[in-house]
Amino acid sequence: MGKAALVFQTDFGMQDGAVSAMYGVAYGVSPELQIYDLTHGIEPYNTWEASYRLIQTVDYWPEGTVFVSVVDPGVGSTRRSIVARTKTGQYVVTPDNGTLTFVKRNLGIDAARIIDESVNRRSGSEESYTFHGRDVYAFTGARLASGEITFEQVGPEVDPESVLELPTIPARHTEDGGVEGTIDVLDVRFGSLWSNIPIELFKTLDIEFGERVEVMISNDTRTLYRNTMVYAHSFADVYVGEPLVYMNSLNCMAVAINQGSFARAYNVGTGNSWHIAIRKDR
């Protein structure tokens, strides 16, 4: 078995030595490893965002790539440590705390194993309970990516259906002839709102590029935005400062301001309590 790429994702940030320590443990397993970063800017403890960043990325990496995702508010608890193999052949090493929600639902999980920490744990860390990202996940991920262990040697097999999923609200048609869904995540640097409304559902509204749509954004307590905007191919189809609806890179509908932050302008958040409705302008 040859060496595969090893990709790290955490909520650790880059202000201290945590990520560097994970690199060091991995290179201690095999100096020839190729290690990459997905992101270390996940909002602290936000397993929902961690799950979304994985589905945004995993499928574009070659079969055999090993992802280590450490967003672990339950570190030291009874939550499981697992390695999941996707139906497209990548591996994700992670706490079983919902981080695999979108991978499980969108890509599918072919098999899953609980990490046997009696063999897959950095030597000398047996009494440590607060840095499993370094001591268990980076170590196990490096062993798997380097070929030092096989997937079967990770630990006992578990039913992929038992992998924990966070609750989600599916997109649907509305009674007034539109569609609605949730705002799942932000395009962080640019402030665009990424919804869970798939392009195929949106197409049932029979809206052409260049036509205007009505967009309503609300949370569980009030409506924050209601206005019309253009359905566009891309940002270049509207003037600077003008809002638009477009299909994002995950083939779902998104809302943005050309060269501005929609999220900041209207103080919009993400998750199941944030709703977006779209219909043809009347």
Side-chain angles (χ1 to χ4, degrees):
M1 181 178 176
K3 290 178 174 57
L6 181 62
V7 184
F8 286 155
Q9 167 177 278
T10 74
D11 60 352
F12 297 163
M14 299 297 289
Q15 290 79 23
D16 65 14
V19 172
S20 183
M22 291 174 61
Y23 267 74
V25 166
Y27 283 131
V29 171
S30 173
E32 290 79 35
L33 277 171
Q34 298 182 66
I35 307 177
Y36 305 90
D37 296 311
L38 193 165
T39 180
H40 298 290
I42 300 292
E43 181 185 37
Y45 318 118
N46 192 333
T47 54
W48 176 279
E49 185 182 357
S51 180
Y52 212 95
R53 298 306 173 201
L54 284 173
I55 197 58
Q56 192 180 358
T57 309
V58 167
D59 194 31
Y60 298 100
W61 284 76
E63 182 178 353
T65 300
V66 177
F67 289 82
V68 172
S69 180
V70 189
V71 178
D72 194 13
V75 64
S77 71
T78 57
R79 61 94 184 94
R80 303 187 299 186
S81 297
I82 64 172
V83 180
R85 184 176 65 205
T86 72
K87 290 189 175 179
T88 49
Q90 299 87 4
Y91 298 94
V92 185
V93 184
T94 185
D96 184 22
N97 59 8
T99 293
L100 286 163
T101 298
F102 291 113
V103 167
K104 182 178 177 181
R105 294 188 179 187
N106 295 27
L107 280 183
I109 293 175
D110 176 62
R113 292 181 176 272
I114 296 177
I115 297 174
D116 180 355
E117 295 183 19
S118 68
V119 291
N120 291 309
R121 185 182 182 115
R122 184 179 65 86
S123 178
S125 70
E126 293 79 12
E127 300 300 317
S128 175
Y129 297 97
T130 60
F131 199 174
H132 287 176
R134 176 195 65 194
D135 300 332
V136 177
Y137 302 130
F139 182 73
T140 302
R143 296 189 82 200
L144 186 60
S146 67
E148 187 171 308
I149 60 170
T150 65
F151 178 57
E152 290 70 26
Q153 291 172 308
V154 165
E157 189 170 17
V158 293
D159 184 355
E161 285 302 310
S162 73
V163 172
L164 183 68
E165 295 179 59
L166 301 170
T168 58
I169 302 172
R172 65 181 185 90
H173 285 102
T174 58
E175 293 180 359
D176 64 358
V179 294
E180 68 177 5
T182 53
I183 299 169
D184 280 354
V185 76
L186 303 180
D187 187 356
V188 176
R189 283 184 62 82
F190 303 105
S192 307
L193 315 180
W194 284 21
S195 82
N196 70 335
I197 301 171
I199 184 63
E200 294 306 322
L201 181 64
F202 177 80
K203 283 181 177 179
T204 64
L205 304 184
D206 196 28
I207 297 169
E208 301 293 330
F209 287 112
E211 293 186 333
R212 297 192 74 82
V213 297
E214 182 183 80
V215 174
M216 184 173 71
I217 296 168
S218 60
N219 57 27
D220 287 340
T221 59
R222 63 192 179 97
T223 299
L224 286 90
Y225 180 90
R226 186 168 191 164
N227 212 333
T228 64
M229 60 184 72
V230 172
Y231 171 42
H233 285 101
S234 69
F235 305 97
D237 291 348
V238 300
Y239 293 111
V240 172
E242 188 177 354
L244 67 149
V245 170
Y246 67 101
M247 185 188 78
N248 67 16
S249 58
L250 295 179
N251 298 333
C252 288
M253 305 314 296
V255 175
I257 294 173
N258 186 16
Q259 297 188 34
S261 170
F262 200 104
R264 189 178 306 116
Y266 298 100
N267 197 27
V268 178
T270 62
N272 286 339
S273 64
W274 289 88
H275 312 283
I276 180 169
I278 306 172
R279 69 178 185 181
K280 184 177 287 191
D281 186 27
R282 297 173 180 176

